[in-house]
Amino acid sequence: DAKTTQPPSMDCAEGRAANLPCNHSTISGNEYVYWYRQIHSQGPQYIIHGLKNNETNEMASLIITEDRKSSTLILPHATLRDTAVYYCIVLNDYKLSFGAGTTVTVRA
Amino acid sequence: AAGVIQSPRHLIKEKRETATLKCYPIPRHDTVYWYQQGPGQDPQFLISFYEKMQSDKGSIPDRFSAQQFSDYHSELNMSSLELGDSALYFCASSPNTGTGSYEQYFGPGTRLTVT
């Protein structure tokens, strides 16, 4: 399984963009990068995924480097409700392997 | 939009008892996944089903079994419960998009407490 590395925590000011990095240097050519988040004790929530190209949806943007060894999740205007643990996952055999994500705290 | 439904939301059992957790996927989703999240831990994959057949298996104890029924709902059966089984149990479902990407949508979870 391709491993991912994320910073354990980060703070962000409300209304500012939050940039969450993820390293996945052993990713294979056909493996997707997925981002999920979990707000305290709730079910994980799908955010976005990508293969090669940058992706954007109503929640976030995903920037994947050309060599695909790292990616950045961008929350364009963080709100207090975005406080959560964010997981970067390389999908392998359809199951999600949650590693140690990034605890993002949005401060007023 | 319809979401994944899990029941019950809370369950308290004693050691050595059995428990059954139910999951109703989003309509037209044919794949169901079960995850276990212990206190202070990250979710861990247990088992998955695609079109009523087991498709993958993770760190699921032999005391646990699961199945997916003809209406695509799934049940996780847990026997000889141990204190360490106390956890949040999440069910997720995904559609078979045929594109190689499979977003999983999670339910609210069942909190199982074993005393």
PDB file of all heavy atoms in Angstrom, chain A residues 32 34 36 38 41-44 46 49 87 91 93-96 98-100, chain B residues 33 35 37 42-43 45 56 88 90 99-104 106-107 111:
ATOM      1  N   TYR A  32      -5.533   6.501  -6.957  1.00  0.00           N
ATOM      2  CA  TYR A  32      -6.121   7.802  -6.712  1.00  0.00           C
ATOM      3  C   TYR A  32      -5.737   8.320  -5.327  1.00  0.00           C
ATOM      4  O   TYR A  32      -5.576   7.553  -4.382  1.00  0.00           O
ATOM      5  CB  TYR A  32      -7.654   7.724  -6.794  1.00  0.00           C
ATOM      6  CG  TYR A  32      -8.216   7.620  -8.189  1.00  0.00           C
ATOM      7  CD1 TYR A  32      -8.184   6.433  -8.895  1.00  0.00           C
ATOM      8  CD2 TYR A  32      -8.815   8.731  -8.787  1.00  0.00           C
ATOM      9  CE1 TYR A  32      -8.718   6.352 -10.173  1.00  0.00           C
ATOM     10  CE2 TYR A  32      -9.357   8.651 -10.056  1.00  0.00           C
ATOM     11  CZ  TYR A  32      -9.296   7.454 -10.741  1.00  0.00           C
ATOM     12  OH  TYR A  32      -9.826   7.369 -11.997  1.00  0.00           O
ATOM     13  N   TYR A  34      -7.276  10.357  -2.267  1.00  0.00           N
ATOM     14  CA  TYR A  34      -8.550  10.755  -1.684  1.00  0.00           C
ATOM     15  C   TYR A  34      -8.320  11.576  -0.431  1.00  0.00           C
ATOM     16  O   TYR A  34      -7.377  11.348   0.310  1.00  0.00           O
ATOM     17  CB  TYR A  34      -9.386   9.518  -1.298  1.00  0.00           C
ATOM     18  CG  TYR A  34     -10.121   8.871  -2.441  1.00  0.00           C
ATOM     19  CD1 TYR A  34      -9.447   8.124  -3.407  1.00  0.00           C
ATOM     20  CD2 TYR A  34     -11.504   9.009  -2.554  1.00  0.00           C
ATOM     21  CE1 TYR A  34     -10.135   7.541  -4.456  1.00  0.00           C
ATOM     22  CE2 TYR A  34     -12.196   8.420  -3.600  1.00  0.00           C
ATOM     23  CZ  TYR A  34     -11.507   7.694  -4.538  1.00  0.00           C
ATOM     24  OH  TYR A  34     -12.193   7.120  -5.580  1.00  0.00           O
ATOM     25  N   TYR A  36     -10.487  12.784   3.009  1.00  0.00           N
ATOM     26  CA  TYR A  36     -11.666  12.696   3.864  1.00  0.00           C
ATOM     27  C   TYR A  36     -11.410  13.541   5.101  1.00  0.00           C
ATOM     28  O   TYR A  36     -10.268  13.851   5.438  1.00  0.00           O
ATOM     29  CB  TYR A  36     -11.939  11.256   4.309  1.00  0.00           C
ATOM     30  CG  TYR A  36     -12.555  10.383   3.255  1.00  0.00           C
ATOM     31  CD1 TYR A  36     -11.790   9.858   2.223  1.00  0.00           C
ATOM     32  CD2 TYR A  36     -13.911  10.080   3.295  1.00  0.00           C
ATOM     33  CE1 TYR A  36     -12.369   9.062   1.242  1.00  0.00           C
ATOM     34  CE2 TYR A  36     -14.498   9.281   2.329  1.00  0.00           C
ATOM     35  CZ  TYR A  36     -13.716   8.773   1.310  1.00  0.00           C
ATOM     36  OH  TYR A  36     -14.289   7.992   0.346  1.00  0.00           O
ATOM     37  N   GLN A  38     -12.927  14.017   9.338  1.00  0.00           N
ATOM     38  CA  GLN A  38     -13.797  13.512  10.381  1.00  0.00           C
ATOM     39  C   GLN A  38     -13.931  14.568  11.460  1.00  0.00           C
ATOM     40  O   GLN A  38     -12.943  14.915  12.126  1.00  0.00           O
ATOM     41  CB  GLN A  38     -13.273  12.206  10.976  1.00  0.00           C
ATOM     42  CG  GLN A  38     -14.244  11.592  11.977  1.00  0.00           C
ATOM     43  CD  GLN A  38     -13.808  10.239  12.487  1.00  0.00           C
ATOM     44  OE1 GLN A  38     -12.618   9.935  12.574  1.00  0.00           O
ATOM     45  NE2 GLN A  38     -14.777   9.401  12.838  1.00  0.00           N
ATOM     46  N   SER A  41     -16.061  12.368  16.209  1.00  0.00           N
ATOM     47  CA  SER A  41     -16.937  11.205  16.397  1.00  0.00           C
ATOM     48  C   SER A  41     -18.035  11.070  15.349  1.00  0.00           C
ATOM     49  O   SER A  41     -18.886  10.199  15.469  1.00  0.00           O
ATOM     50  CB  SER A  41     -17.566  11.214  17.796  1.00  0.00           C
ATOM     51  OG  SER A  41     -16.567  11.016  18.768  1.00  0.00           O
ATOM     52  N   GLN A  42     -18.021  11.920  14.325  1.00  0.00           N
ATOM     53  CA  GLN A  42     -18.983  11.734  13.244  1.00  0.00           C
ATOM     54  C   GLN A  42     -18.385  10.803  12.200  1.00  0.00           C
ATOM     55  O   GLN A  42     -17.185  10.512  12.224  1.00  0.00           O
ATOM     56  CB  GLN A  42     -19.329  13.081  12.592  1.00  0.00           C
ATOM     57  CG  GLN A  42     -20.039  14.040  13.526  1.00  0.00           C
ATOM     58  CD  GLN A  42     -20.401  15.344  12.832  1.00  0.00           C
ATOM     59  OE1 GLN A  42     -20.475  15.413  11.606  1.00  0.00           O
ATOM     60  NE2 GLN A  42     -20.625  16.382  13.608  1.00  0.00           N
ATOM     61  N   GLY A  43     -19.200  10.325  11.295  1.00  0.00           N
ATOM     62  CA  GLY A  43     -18.686   9.504  10.221  1.00  0.00           C
ATOM     63  C   GLY A  43     -17.758  10.302   9.321  1.00  0.00           C
ATOM     64  O   GLY A  43     -18.008  11.478   9.059  1.00  0.00           O
ATOM     65  N   PRO A  44     -16.662   9.706   8.865  1.00  0.00           N
ATOM     66  CA  PRO A  44     -15.783  10.423   7.937  1.00  0.00           C
ATOM     67  C   PRO A  44     -16.568  10.945   6.738  1.00  0.00           C
ATOM     68  O   PRO A  44     -17.516  10.306   6.271  1.00  0.00           O
ATOM     69  CB  PRO A  44     -14.772   9.349   7.528  1.00  0.00           C
ATOM     70  CG  PRO A  44     -14.722   8.411   8.684  1.00  0.00           C
ATOM     71  CD  PRO A  44     -16.136   8.373   9.189  1.00  0.00           C
ATOM     72  N   TYR A  46     -16.393  12.393   2.821  1.00  0.00           N
ATOM     73  CA  TYR A  46     -15.630  12.506   1.580  1.00  0.00           C
ATOM     74  C   TYR A  46     -15.496  13.970   1.194  1.00  0.00           C
ATOM     75  O   TYR A  46     -16.469  14.730   1.275  1.00  0.00           O
ATOM     76  CB  TYR A  46     -16.332  11.727   0.474  1.00  0.00           C
ATOM     77  CG  TYR A  46     -15.855  12.056  -0.920  1.00  0.00           C
ATOM     78  CD1 TYR A  46     -14.670  11.527  -1.409  1.00  0.00           C
ATOM     79  CD2 TYR A  46     -16.588  12.905  -1.732  1.00  0.00           C
ATOM     80  CE1 TYR A  46     -14.227  11.842  -2.681  1.00  0.00           C
ATOM     81  CE2 TYR A  46     -16.161  13.222  -3.006  1.00  0.00           C
ATOM     82  CZ  TYR A  46     -14.978  12.684  -3.478  1.00  0.00           C
ATOM     83  OH  TYR A  46     -14.541  12.990  -4.731  1.00  0.00           O
ATOM     84  N   HIS A  49     -11.224  13.824  -4.583  1.00  0.00           N
ATOM     85  CA  HIS A  49     -10.197  12.882  -4.979  1.00  0.00           C
ATOM     86  C   HIS A  49      -9.654  13.270  -6.345  1.00  0.00           C
ATOM     87  O   HIS A  49     -10.287  14.043  -7.087  1.00  0.00           O
ATOM     88  CB  HIS A  49     -10.733  11.447  -4.996  1.00  0.00           C
ATOM     89  CG  HIS A  49     -11.657  11.138  -6.140  1.00  0.00           C
ATOM     90  ND1 HIS A  49     -12.992  11.476  -6.112  1.00  0.00           N
ATOM     91  CD2 HIS A  49     -11.427  10.531  -7.328  1.00  0.00           C
ATOM     92  CE1 HIS A  49     -13.560  11.080  -7.229  1.00  0.00           C
ATOM     93  NE2 HIS A  49     -12.642  10.507  -7.997  1.00  0.00           N
ATOM     94  N   TYR A  87      -7.803  13.456   6.492  1.00  0.00           N
ATOM     95  CA  TYR A  87      -7.041  12.282   6.097  1.00  0.00           C
ATOM     96  C   TYR A  87      -6.761  12.315   4.597  1.00  0.00           C
ATOM     97  O   TYR A  87      -7.674  12.476   3.786  1.00  0.00           O
ATOM     98  CB  TYR A  87      -7.819  11.001   6.405  1.00  0.00           C
ATOM     99  CG  TYR A  87      -8.061  10.720   7.867  1.00  0.00           C
ATOM    100  CD1 TYR A  87      -9.274  11.067   8.452  1.00  0.00           C
ATOM    101  CD2 TYR A  87      -7.090  10.089   8.644  1.00  0.00           C
ATOM    102  CE1 TYR A  87      -9.516  10.795   9.794  1.00  0.00           C
ATOM    103  CE2 TYR A  87      -7.331   9.812   9.982  1.00  0.00           C
ATOM    104  CZ  TYR A  87      -8.539  10.163  10.549  1.00  0.00           C
ATOM    105  OH  TYR A  87      -8.775   9.885  11.869  1.00  0.00           O
ATOM    106  N   LEU A  91      -5.919   5.282  -2.373  1.00  0.00           N
ATOM    107  CA  LEU A  91      -6.854   4.165  -2.412  1.00  0.00           C
ATOM    108  C   LEU A  91      -6.196   2.921  -2.963  1.00  0.00           C
ATOM    109  O   LEU A  91      -5.619   2.933  -4.054  1.00  0.00           O
ATOM    110  CB  LEU A  91      -8.061   4.533  -3.270  1.00  0.00           C
ATOM    111  CG  LEU A  91      -9.262   3.600  -3.125  1.00  0.00           C
ATOM    112  CD1 LEU A  91      -9.844   3.710  -1.726  1.00  0.00           C
ATOM    113  CD2 LEU A  91     -10.318   3.920  -4.163  1.00  0.00           C
ATOM    114  N   ASP A  93      -7.134  -1.169  -3.529  1.00  0.00           N
ATOM    115  CA  ASP A  93      -8.140  -2.238  -3.485  1.00  0.00           C
ATOM    116  C   ASP A  93      -9.459  -1.755  -2.905  1.00  0.00           C
ATOM    117  O   ASP A  93     -10.124  -2.506  -2.194  1.00  0.00           O
ATOM    118  CB  ASP A  93      -7.636  -3.430  -2.675  1.00  0.00           C
ATOM    119  CG  ASP A  93      -6.516  -4.157  -3.402  1.00  0.00           C
ATOM    120  OD1 ASP A  93      -6.467  -4.068  -4.638  1.00  0.00           O
ATOM    121  OD2 ASP A  93      -5.705  -4.795  -2.718  1.00  0.00           O
ATOM    122  N   TYR A  94      -9.809  -0.520  -3.164  1.00  0.00           N
ATOM    123  CA  TYR A  94     -11.100   0.045  -2.813  1.00  0.00           C
ATOM    124  C   TYR A  94     -11.301   0.344  -1.331  1.00  0.00           C
ATOM    125  O   TYR A  94     -12.139   1.157  -0.983  1.00  0.00           O
ATOM    126  CB  TYR A  94     -12.251  -0.849  -3.283  1.00  0.00           C
ATOM    127  CG  TYR A  94     -12.042  -1.357  -4.685  1.00  0.00           C
ATOM    128  CD1 TYR A  94     -12.104  -2.706  -4.977  1.00  0.00           C
ATOM    129  CD2 TYR A  94     -11.751  -0.469  -5.720  1.00  0.00           C
ATOM    130  CE1 TYR A  94     -11.886  -3.161  -6.273  1.00  0.00           C
ATOM    131  CE2 TYR A  94     -11.525  -0.919  -7.006  1.00  0.00           C
ATOM    132  CZ  TYR A  94     -11.605  -2.267  -7.281  1.00  0.00           C
ATOM    133  OH  TYR A  94     -11.384  -2.712  -8.544  1.00  0.00           O
ATOM    134  N   LYS A  95     -10.549  -0.277  -0.430  1.00  0.00           N
ATOM    135  CA  LYS A  95     -10.744   0.014   0.982  1.00  0.00           C
ATOM    136  C   LYS A  95      -9.890   1.207   1.385  1.00  0.00           C
ATOM    137  O   LYS A  95      -8.835   1.456   0.819  1.00  0.00           O
ATOM    138  CB  LYS A  95     -10.387  -1.184   1.852  1.00  0.00           C
ATOM    139  CG  LYS A  95      -8.929  -1.625   1.763  1.00  0.00           C
ATOM    140  CD  LYS A  95      -8.705  -2.839   2.634  1.00  0.00           C
ATOM    141  CE  LYS A  95      -7.261  -3.310   2.587  1.00  0.00           C
ATOM    142  NZ  LYS A  95      -6.940  -3.947   1.299  1.00  0.00           N
ATOM    143  N   LEU A  96     -10.375   1.968   2.352  1.00  0.00           N
ATOM    144  CA  LEU A  96      -9.670   3.137   2.838  1.00  0.00           C
ATOM    145  C   LEU A  96      -8.791   2.753   4.019  1.00  0.00           C
ATOM    146  O   LEU A  96      -9.263   2.141   4.975  1.00  0.00           O
ATOM    147  CB  LEU A  96     -10.666   4.211   3.269  1.00  0.00           C
ATOM    148  CG  LEU A  96     -11.556   4.784   2.161  1.00  0.00           C
ATOM    149  CD1 LEU A  96     -12.627   5.685   2.765  1.00  0.00           C
ATOM    150  CD2 LEU A  96     -10.721   5.557   1.153  1.00  0.00           C
ATOM    151  N   PHE A  98      -6.982   4.452   6.811  1.00  0.00           N
ATOM    152  CA  PHE A  98      -6.826   5.720   7.506  1.00  0.00           C
ATOM    153  C   PHE A  98      -5.541   5.689   8.319  1.00  0.00           C
ATOM    154  O   PHE A  98      -5.356   4.846   9.192  1.00  0.00           O
ATOM    155  CB  PHE A  98      -8.010   5.959   8.448  1.00  0.00           C
ATOM    156  CG  PHE A  98      -9.309   6.246   7.744  1.00  0.00           C
ATOM    157  CD1 PHE A  98     -10.149   5.214   7.355  1.00  0.00           C
ATOM    158  CD2 PHE A  98      -9.691   7.549   7.478  1.00  0.00           C
ATOM    159  CE1 PHE A  98     -11.343   5.473   6.715  1.00  0.00           C
ATOM    160  CE2 PHE A  98     -10.902   7.821   6.841  1.00  0.00           C
ATOM    161  CZ  PHE A  98     -11.719   6.775   6.456  1.00  0.00           C
ATOM    162  N   GLY A  99      -4.661   6.612   8.015  1.00  0.00           N
ATOM    163  CA  GLY A  99      -3.455   6.756   8.816  1.00  0.00           C
ATOM    164  C   GLY A  99      -3.631   7.917   9.766  1.00  0.00           C
ATOM    165  O   GLY A  99      -4.740   8.356  10.032  1.00  0.00           O
ATOM    166  N   ALA A 100      -2.535   8.408  10.264  1.00  0.00           N
ATOM    167  CA  ALA A 100      -2.578   9.559  11.164  1.00  0.00           C
ATOM    168  C   ALA A 100      -2.783  10.810  10.320  1.00  0.00           C
ATOM    169  O   ALA A 100      -1.898  11.208   9.579  1.00  0.00           O
ATOM    170  CB  ALA A 100      -1.290   9.656  11.963  1.00  0.00           C
TER     171      ALA A 100
ATOM    172  N   TYR B  33     -19.065  -1.095   3.085  1.00  0.00           N
ATOM    173  CA  TYR B  33     -17.839  -1.279   3.838  1.00  0.00           C
ATOM    174  C   TYR B  33     -18.144  -1.107   5.325  1.00  0.00           C
ATOM    175  O   TYR B  33     -18.981  -0.293   5.710  1.00  0.00           O
ATOM    176  CB  TYR B  33     -16.796  -0.222   3.455  1.00  0.00           C
ATOM    177  CG  TYR B  33     -16.569  -0.043   1.972  1.00  0.00           C
ATOM    178  CD1 TYR B  33     -17.448   0.702   1.198  1.00  0.00           C
ATOM    179  CD2 TYR B  33     -15.461  -0.597   1.345  1.00  0.00           C
ATOM    180  CE1 TYR B  33     -17.241   0.891  -0.158  1.00  0.00           C
ATOM    181  CE2 TYR B  33     -15.234  -0.411  -0.018  1.00  0.00           C
ATOM    182  CZ  TYR B  33     -16.133   0.330  -0.760  1.00  0.00           C
ATOM    183  OH  TYR B  33     -15.925   0.510  -2.099  1.00  0.00           O
ATOM    184  N   TYR B  35     -16.176  -0.301   9.061  1.00  0.00           N
ATOM    185  CA  TYR B  35     -14.973   0.181   9.716  1.00  0.00           C
ATOM    186  C   TYR B  35     -15.203   0.215  11.221  1.00  0.00           C
ATOM    187  O   TYR B  35     -16.321   0.459  11.683  1.00  0.00           O
ATOM    188  CB  TYR B  35     -14.615   1.598   9.244  1.00  0.00           C
ATOM    189  CG  TYR B  35     -14.203   1.694   7.796  1.00  0.00           C
ATOM    190  CD1 TYR B  35     -15.162   1.785   6.781  1.00  0.00           C
ATOM    191  CD2 TYR B  35     -12.863   1.700   7.424  1.00  0.00           C
ATOM    192  CE1 TYR B  35     -14.790   1.870   5.451  1.00  0.00           C
ATOM    193  CE2 TYR B  35     -12.476   1.798   6.096  1.00  0.00           C
ATOM    194  CZ  TYR B  35     -13.450   1.879   5.119  1.00  0.00           C
ATOM    195  OH  TYR B  35     -13.072   1.964   3.802  1.00  0.00           O
ATOM    196  N   GLN B  37     -13.714   2.029  14.796  1.00  0.00           N
ATOM    197  CA  GLN B  37     -12.869   3.093  15.330  1.00  0.00           C
ATOM    198  C   GLN B  37     -12.878   3.032  16.849  1.00  0.00           C
ATOM    199  O   GLN B  37     -13.874   3.388  17.493  1.00  0.00           O
ATOM    200  CB  GLN B  37     -13.335   4.465  14.848  1.00  0.00           C
ATOM    201  CG  GLN B  37     -12.410   5.601  15.281  1.00  0.00           C
ATOM    202  CD  GLN B  37     -12.783   6.931  14.645  1.00  0.00           C
ATOM    203  OE1 GLN B  37     -13.932   7.168  14.301  1.00  0.00           O
ATOM    204  NE2 GLN B  37     -11.811   7.812  14.482  1.00  0.00           N
ATOM    205  N   ASP B  42      -7.785   5.857  14.751  1.00  0.00           N
ATOM    206  CA  ASP B  42      -8.310   6.139  13.430  1.00  0.00           C
ATOM    207  C   ASP B  42      -9.188   4.973  12.987  1.00  0.00           C
ATOM    208  O   ASP B  42      -9.019   3.843  13.453  1.00  0.00           O
ATOM    209  CB  ASP B  42      -7.161   6.348  12.440  1.00  0.00           C
ATOM    210  CG  ASP B  42      -6.229   7.471  12.867  1.00  0.00           C
ATOM    211  OD1 ASP B  42      -6.728   8.592  13.066  1.00  0.00           O
ATOM    212  OD2 ASP B  42      -5.013   7.223  13.016  1.00  0.00           O
ATOM    213  N   PRO B  43     -10.111   5.211  12.089  1.00  0.00           N
ATOM    214  CA  PRO B  43     -10.948   4.103  11.606  1.00  0.00           C
ATOM    215  C   PRO B  43     -10.107   3.006  10.954  1.00  0.00           C
ATOM    216  O   PRO B  43      -9.146   3.289  10.249  1.00  0.00           O
ATOM    217  CB  PRO B  43     -11.860   4.787  10.576  1.00  0.00           C
ATOM    218  CG  PRO B  43     -11.862   6.229  10.953  1.00  0.00           C
ATOM    219  CD  PRO B  43     -10.490   6.501  11.493  1.00  0.00           C
ATOM    220  N   PHE B  45     -10.418  -0.580   8.618  1.00  0.00           N
ATOM    221  CA  PHE B  45     -11.278  -1.343   7.723  1.00  0.00           C
ATOM    222  C   PHE B  45     -11.501  -2.755   8.262  1.00  0.00           C
ATOM    223  O   PHE B  45     -10.557  -3.427   8.679  1.00  0.00           O
ATOM    224  CB  PHE B  45     -10.644  -1.392   6.337  1.00  0.00           C
ATOM    225  CG  PHE B  45     -11.308  -2.347   5.385  1.00  0.00           C
ATOM    226  CD1 PHE B  45     -12.525  -2.013   4.800  1.00  0.00           C
ATOM    227  CD2 PHE B  45     -10.728  -3.563   5.080  1.00  0.00           C
ATOM    228  CE1 PHE B  45     -13.144  -2.881   3.920  1.00  0.00           C
ATOM    229  CE2 PHE B  45     -11.342  -4.438   4.202  1.00  0.00           C
ATOM    230  CZ  PHE B  45     -12.554  -4.101   3.624  1.00  0.00           C
ATOM    231  N   ASP B  56     -13.604  -7.895   0.193  1.00  0.00           N
ATOM    232  CA  ASP B  56     -12.314  -7.677   0.824  1.00  0.00           C
ATOM    233  C   ASP B  56     -12.467  -7.855   2.329  1.00  0.00           C
ATOM    234  O   ASP B  56     -13.566  -7.705   2.875  1.00  0.00           O
ATOM    235  CB  ASP B  56     -11.779  -6.275   0.512  1.00  0.00           C
ATOM    236  CG  ASP B  56     -10.269  -6.176   0.607  1.00  0.00           C
ATOM    237  OD1 ASP B  56      -9.631  -7.098   1.152  1.00  0.00           O
ATOM    238  OD2 ASP B  56      -9.712  -5.159   0.141  1.00  0.00           O
ATOM    239  N   LEU B  88     -16.688   2.786  17.934  1.00  0.00           N
ATOM    240  CA  LEU B  88     -17.634   3.274  16.935  1.00  0.00           C
ATOM    241  C   LEU B  88     -17.507   2.368  15.719  1.00  0.00           C
ATOM    242  O   LEU B  88     -16.398   2.077  15.267  1.00  0.00           O
ATOM    243  CB  LEU B  88     -17.295   4.707  16.533  1.00  0.00           C
ATOM    244  CG  LEU B  88     -17.885   5.855  17.353  1.00  0.00           C
ATOM    245  CD1 LEU B  88     -17.212   7.160  16.979  1.00  0.00           C
ATOM    246  CD2 LEU B  88     -19.381   5.947  17.143  1.00  0.00           C
ATOM    247  N   PHE B  90     -18.558   2.162  11.829  1.00  0.00           N
ATOM    248  CA  PHE B  90     -19.087   2.912  10.704  1.00  0.00           C
ATOM    249  C   PHE B  90     -19.344   1.997   9.522  1.00  0.00           C
ATOM    250  O   PHE B  90     -18.561   1.096   9.234  1.00  0.00           O
ATOM    251  CB  PHE B  90     -18.104   4.003  10.271  1.00  0.00           C
ATOM    252  CG  PHE B  90     -17.926   5.110  11.268  1.00  0.00           C
ATOM    253  CD1 PHE B  90     -16.765   5.220  12.004  1.00  0.00           C
ATOM    254  CD2 PHE B  90     -18.934   6.053  11.451  1.00  0.00           C
ATOM    255  CE1 PHE B  90     -16.603   6.244  12.927  1.00  0.00           C
ATOM    256  CE2 PHE B  90     -18.784   7.075  12.374  1.00  0.00           C
ATOM    257  CZ  PHE B  90     -17.613   7.167  13.111  1.00  0.00           C
ATOM    258  N   THR B  99     -15.327   3.815 -13.238  1.00  0.00           N
ATOM    259  CA  THR B  99     -14.251   4.708 -13.670  1.00  0.00           C
ATOM    260  C   THR B  99     -12.961   4.464 -12.909  1.00  0.00           C
ATOM    261  O   THR B  99     -11.955   5.093 -13.191  1.00  0.00           O
ATOM    262  CB  THR B  99     -14.657   6.178 -13.436  1.00  0.00           C
ATOM    263  OG1 THR B  99     -14.836   6.400 -12.034  1.00  0.00           O
ATOM    264  CG2 THR B  99     -15.939   6.499 -14.173  1.00  0.00           C
ATOM    265  N   GLY B 100     -12.996   3.571 -11.922  1.00  0.00           N
ATOM    266  CA  GLY B 100     -11.808   3.331 -11.118  1.00  0.00           C
ATOM    267  C   GLY B 100     -11.747   4.198  -9.882  1.00  0.00           C
ATOM    268  O   GLY B 100     -10.830   4.073  -9.078  1.00  0.00           O
ATOM    269  N   SER B 101     -12.690   5.096  -9.718  1.00  0.00           N
ATOM    270  CA  SER B 101     -12.717   5.928  -8.512  1.00  0.00           C
ATOM    271  C   SER B 101     -13.976   5.585  -7.734  1.00  0.00           C
ATOM    272  O   SER B 101     -15.032   5.378  -8.324  1.00  0.00           O
ATOM    273  CB  SER B 101     -12.711   7.412  -8.866  1.00  0.00           C
ATOM    274  OG  SER B 101     -13.846   7.775  -9.591  1.00  0.00           O
ATOM    275  N   TYR B 102     -13.844   5.512  -6.442  1.00  0.00           N
ATOM    276  CA  TYR B 102     -14.932   5.021  -5.612  1.00  0.00           C
ATOM    277  C   TYR B 102     -15.050   5.837  -4.340  1.00  0.00           C
ATOM    278  O   TYR B 102     -14.468   5.488  -3.315  1.00  0.00           O
ATOM    279  CB  TYR B 102     -14.692   3.554  -5.266  1.00  0.00           C
ATOM    280  CG  TYR B 102     -14.583   2.655  -6.472  1.00  0.00           C
ATOM    281  CD1 TYR B 102     -13.383   2.475  -7.131  1.00  0.00           C
ATOM    282  CD2 TYR B 102     -15.708   2.005  -6.955  1.00  0.00           C
ATOM    283  CE1 TYR B 102     -13.291   1.673  -8.253  1.00  0.00           C
ATOM    284  CE2 TYR B 102     -15.621   1.183  -8.081  1.00  0.00           C
ATOM    285  CZ  TYR B 102     -14.406   1.022  -8.713  1.00  0.00           C
ATOM    286  OH  TYR B 102     -14.321   0.222  -9.817  1.00  0.00           O
ATOM    287  N   GLU B 103     -15.810   6.898  -4.412  1.00  0.00           N
ATOM    288  CA  GLU B 103     -16.037   7.670  -3.187  1.00  0.00           C
ATOM    289  C   GLU B 103     -16.884   6.851  -2.234  1.00  0.00           C
ATOM    290  O   GLU B 103     -17.855   6.231  -2.656  1.00  0.00           O
ATOM    291  CB  GLU B 103     -16.787   8.975  -3.480  1.00  0.00           C
ATOM    292  CG  GLU B 103     -16.163   9.866  -4.521  1.00  0.00           C
ATOM    293  CD  GLU B 103     -16.764   9.638  -5.877  1.00  0.00           C
ATOM    294  OE1 GLU B 103     -16.294   8.719  -6.580  1.00  0.00           O
ATOM    295  OE2 GLU B 103     -17.704  10.354  -6.244  1.00  0.00           O
ATOM    296  N   GLN B 104     -16.505   6.864  -0.983  1.00  0.00           N
ATOM    297  CA  GLN B 104     -17.283   6.174   0.029  1.00  0.00           C
ATOM    298  C   GLN B 104     -18.007   7.204   0.891  1.00  0.00           C
ATOM    299  O   GLN B 104     -17.427   8.206   1.301  1.00  0.00           O
ATOM    300  CB  GLN B 104     -16.371   5.308   0.917  1.00  0.00           C
ATOM    301  CG  GLN B 104     -15.735   4.156   0.160  1.00  0.00           C
ATOM    302  CD  GLN B 104     -14.890   3.267   1.037  1.00  0.00           C
ATOM    303  OE1 GLN B 104     -15.089   3.180   2.249  1.00  0.00           O
ATOM    304  NE2 GLN B 104     -13.922   2.617   0.427  1.00  0.00           N
ATOM    305  N   PHE B 106     -20.113   7.722   4.331  1.00  0.00           N
ATOM    306  CA  PHE B 106     -20.209   7.087   5.633  1.00  0.00           C
ATOM    307  C   PHE B 106     -21.523   7.409   6.340  1.00  0.00           C
ATOM    308  O   PHE B 106     -22.077   8.507   6.203  1.00  0.00           O
ATOM    309  CB  PHE B 106     -19.051   7.533   6.526  1.00  0.00           C
ATOM    310  CG  PHE B 106     -17.746   6.882   6.187  1.00  0.00           C
ATOM    311  CD1 PHE B 106     -17.037   7.266   5.059  1.00  0.00           C
ATOM    312  CD2 PHE B 106     -17.229   5.871   6.989  1.00  0.00           C
ATOM    313  CE1 PHE B 106     -15.826   6.665   4.737  1.00  0.00           C
ATOM    314  CE2 PHE B 106     -16.025   5.266   6.679  1.00  0.00           C
ATOM    315  CZ  PHE B 106     -15.322   5.659   5.548  1.00  0.00           C
ATOM    316  N   GLY B 107     -21.969   6.441   7.122  1.00  0.00           N
ATOM    317  CA  GLY B 107     -23.103   6.666   7.996  1.00  0.00           C
ATOM    318  C   GLY B 107     -22.655   7.323   9.296  1.00  0.00           C
ATOM    319  O   GLY B 107     -21.461   7.554   9.496  1.00  0.00           O
ATOM    320  N   ARG B 111     -22.390   3.382  18.134  1.00  0.00           N
ATOM    321  CA  ARG B 111     -21.470   3.349  19.268  1.00  0.00           C
ATOM    322  C   ARG B 111     -21.793   2.138  20.117  1.00  0.00           C
ATOM    323  O   ARG B 111     -22.866   2.065  20.726  1.00  0.00           O
ATOM    324  CB  ARG B 111     -21.565   4.622  20.101  1.00  0.00           C
ATOM    325  CG  ARG B 111     -20.575   4.646  21.273  1.00  0.00           C
ATOM    326  CD  ARG B 111     -20.623   5.957  22.027  1.00  0.00           C
ATOM    327  NE  ARG B 111     -20.167   7.079  21.233  1.00  0.00           N
ATOM    328  CZ  ARG B 111     -18.901   7.387  21.013  1.00  0.00           C
ATOM    329  NH1 ARG B 111     -17.942   6.647  21.548  1.00  0.00           N
ATOM    330  NH2 ARG B 111     -18.576   8.435  20.274  1.00  0.00           N
TER     331      ARG B 111
END
